[in-house]
Amino acid sequence: MSFRWGIAGFGWVARDHMLPAIAAAGHELVGVADPSPAARIRAEQAGTPAWSGMHDLLQQRPDAIYIATPNHLHLPPVAEAAASGTAILCEKPIAATLDQAEALVSAARGITYGTAFDQRHHPAHRAIRKEVAAGTIGQVTAVRIAYACWVDPAWRPPGQVEASNWRADPQAAGGGAVIDLALHGLDLAEMLVGEPLDRLQITLQRRVHDYPVDDGGMLIGRFASGALLQSHVAYNCPEVLPRRRLEILGDRGMIVALDTMGQSAGGSAELICGRSGTGRSIPFDPGLSPFTAQALAFAAAVSGAAHDFCGERDLRLMRLFTAAHEEARGCL
Ligand SMILES: NC(=O)c1ccc[n+]([C@@H]2O[C@H](COP(=O)([O-])OP(=O)(O)OC[C@H]3O[C@@H](n4cnc5c(N)ncnc54)[C@H](O)[C@@H]3O)[C@@H](O)[C@H]2O)c1
């Protein structure tokens, strides 16, 4: 019998990325909960029943609920799904504030819970992790990330003219470009290096766009072993420019991945030898999207397989992030 998903919040990411991932994984979507009539019409047009509240959705007894509401609205559907004992895959960041995140992870204790850091499931990143763990680039010295896009005040998710730009609302989003984009890279870097970050500093900018949140930021951090992290994220980068780059530097080599960070399949990953300077590509499945891989991994986790979803780990990262983010917001 195929794995049965419910979705709370049928907006951009659910419709454009999770819906196709559920189909590609060979899973079933039992229905959608969304208070927006326009979102429910889009769900019905996509062939799935839709209700305004969680109660009707949970009555379908899905194997897992995927939560894709705006950041400050993650907690209520998570609490409702958790109370019914349903497994939960909740979008990142865990919530708009640390208090909400603490309450959310606490509510989800005892059930299978994962934060939807889809990028750790991208097949290129899984292949890179294997190379790093095998010591191919030697001792990791630094991870360098560039991850940027364009979100101006008038930005709306594709096909959602009725929507508001909650990403530029400090209460709804919890911040701007940095809280939206940087946690992907921090989580991914921890997965690739195989250890947690123990220091983090953030500098924010409001450089291009006229809204009350940051439109870019630079993060520097250090892992427990001493490896460094540098990450630049932005909402002020024209999307035709190169803007998704990941580098892992070691004392015997380097890995460079282009266009693997994001929601889509594909991109490239190259391993460069630290003695000869020659490169070879790292093979991975170019057709497997990080969302499909994540759906498959979460279904396996719910079925009892070994997995690396962990609410407590995600909460620890959120605590480290929030301390640095609050200090940076004070200087914006
Ligand atoms: N992993 C990724 O790459 C990725 C990409 C985009 C967005 N996201 C995250 O996904 C979440 C949603 O983002 P989006 O761009 O799809 O937003 P969106 O605004 O397009 O969609 C949110 C939907 O949630 C609905 N909603 C609001 N309150 C609700 C409730 N109580 N119960 C059910 N539905 C409710 C809204 O009506 C809307 O349809 C955010 O947390 C965002 O950070 C993650």
Side-chain angles (χ1 to χ4, degrees), residues 90-293:
C90 175
E91 266 305 340
K92 48 48 65 179
I94 304 177
T97 67
L98 182 58
D99 283 350
Q100 291 167 16
E102 299 271 4
L104 189 152
V105 173
S106 171
R109 258 176 215 126
I111 56 154
T112 306
Y113 169 85
T115 310
F117 285 124
D118 59 287
Q119 298 188 6
R120 66 165 49 225
H121 301 280
H122 191 298
H125 299 154
R126 292 288 173 169
I128 291 170
R129 169 62 193 147
K130 279 193 189 141
E131 297 285 0
V132 172
T136 316
I137 60 168
Q139 193 166 205
V140 175
T141 53
V143 178
R144 300 192 293 233
I145 289 170
Y147 187 49
C149 61
W150 184 266
V151 175
D152 59 31
W155 186 89
R156 296 288 179 276
Q160 286 171 234
V161 280
E162 83 289 355
S164 67
N165 186 7
W166 59 261
R167 282 173 171 77
D169 174 340
Q171 271 70 47
V178 165
I179 193 167
D180 187 29
L181 302 174
L183 282 154
H184 270 306
L186 300 180
D187 173 72
L188 178 59
E190 288 191 342
M191 188 278 276
L192 294 174
V193 177
E195 57 176 311
L197 285 157
D198 68 1
R199 286 173 64 88
L200 187 66
Q201 288 171 287
I202 304 176
T203 300
L204 300 175
Q205 68 180 172
R206 191 162 47 222
R207 179 83 175 126
V208 171
H209 300 311
D210 183 17
Y211 46 47
V213 295
D214 58 279
D215 61 9
M218 195 70 79
L219 296 85
I220 56 170
R222 200 180 62 193
F223 295 87
S225 66
L228 299 174
L229 171 119
Q230 176 198 61
S231 166
H232 173 226
V233 296
Y235 274 173
N236 53 28
C237 175
E239 300 215 346
V240 293
L241 297 179
R243 60 190 176 85
R244 294 187 290 147
R245 183 181 177 92
L246 166 69
E247 298 177 350
I248 304 112
L249 190 61
D251 62 357
R252 295 215 311 269
M254 178 179 183
I255 292 169
V256 180
L258 300 180
D259 297 331
T260 55
M261 294 187 68
Q263 297 90 13
S264 340
S268 66
E270 186 184 24
L271 177 65
I272 305 167
C273 171
R275 276 199 307 275
S276 65
T278 55
R280 68 162 171 87
S281 65
I282 299 175
F284 63 88
D285 181 348
L288 178 63
S289 85
F291 268 79
T292 304

Side-chain angles (χ1 to χ4, degrees), residues 61-85:
R61 306 185 68 79
D63 296 311
I65 295 274
Y66 167 70
I67 310 279
T69 52
N71 301 346
H72 67 313
L73 296 172
H74 287 177
L75 177 55
V78 164
E80 220 174 319
S84 75

